[in-house]
Amino acid sequence: MNLKKPQSNPDKKKLSTADIILIGVGLYVLIRTPWGNMNSFHYLLFFLYIFCMMMRLTNIRKQHSQREKMEQEKQRLTLQAHEEKKDGEFTEIEESKEGEASSVDQELIASEKDSQL
């Protein structure tokens, strides 16, 4: 029997409770407003609803831009760490080659001294 949990789509947008409440209030206002007999209270309710929706949309856009900035910063740091790792490997290779060359030179010098003795 396979008991795996279904994987949710991370890109799927979830509505928060504030969004659900705003949508519910908006539907209520649209249904209950007597459009033929509007007074100042109805205009105030309608204005406040539109204002809340605009503020919520602005907040969503701000959160989205902050999330994108964080992802870009994360990618930049990952790329920078990857480049540093490559640079570190490159310097290690150069150091090992230099170390090999010096050991070869030392061996030649030691063999020349042995041949002179």
Side-chain angles (χ1 to χ4, degrees):
M1 185 184 328
N2 192 358
L3 298 175
K4 290 184 180 179
K5 293 181 180 179
Q7 295 179 354
S8 62
N9 188 1
D11 295 335
K12 187 177 180 181
K13 295 180 182 179
K14 296 181 181 178
L15 291 175
S16 67
T17 54
D19 295 337
I20 294 171
I21 291 171
L22 280 174
I23 291 169
V25 169
L27 290 174
Y28 178 77
V29 168
L30 288 174
I31 292 169
R32 299 292 293 176
T33 302
W35 295 104
N37 189 17
M38 291 277 288
N39 61 20
S40 61
F41 180 71
H42 295 118
Y43 284 120
L44 177 65
L45 285 179
F46 194 65
F47 168 75
L48 289 175
Y49 174 72
I50 296 213
F51 180 73
C52 287
M53 288 300 292
M54 287 174 45
M55 295 298 289
R56 181 62 187 145
L57 290 174
T58 303
N59 193 11
I60 290 171
R61 289 180 62 195
K62 182 180 176 183
Q63 288 174 349
H64 184 67
S65 67
Q66 286 177 347
R67 192 175 309 125
E68 283 182 356
K69 285 180 185 178
M70 288 178 63
E71 288 175 5
Q72 288 174 354
E73 183 69 20
K74 191 180 200 181
Q75 289 175 354
R76 187 186 64 80
L77 290 175
T78 305
L79 182 61
Q80 185 179 12
H82 184 66
E83 288 175 356
E84 287 176 0
K85 184 178 177 184
K86 278 187 174 181
D87 290 343
E89 289 175 359
F90 184 69
T91 55
E92 288 176 7
I93 292 170
E94 286 180 352
E95 289 173 358
S96 65
K97 287 182 180 178
E98 290 173 2
E100 290 172 3
S102 63
S103 65
V104 170
D105 291 338
Q106 290 174 358
E107 289 175 6
L108 288 174
I109 293 170
S111 64
E112 287 177 4
K113 286 182 181 179
D114 289 340
S115 63
Q116 290 176 357
L117 292 174

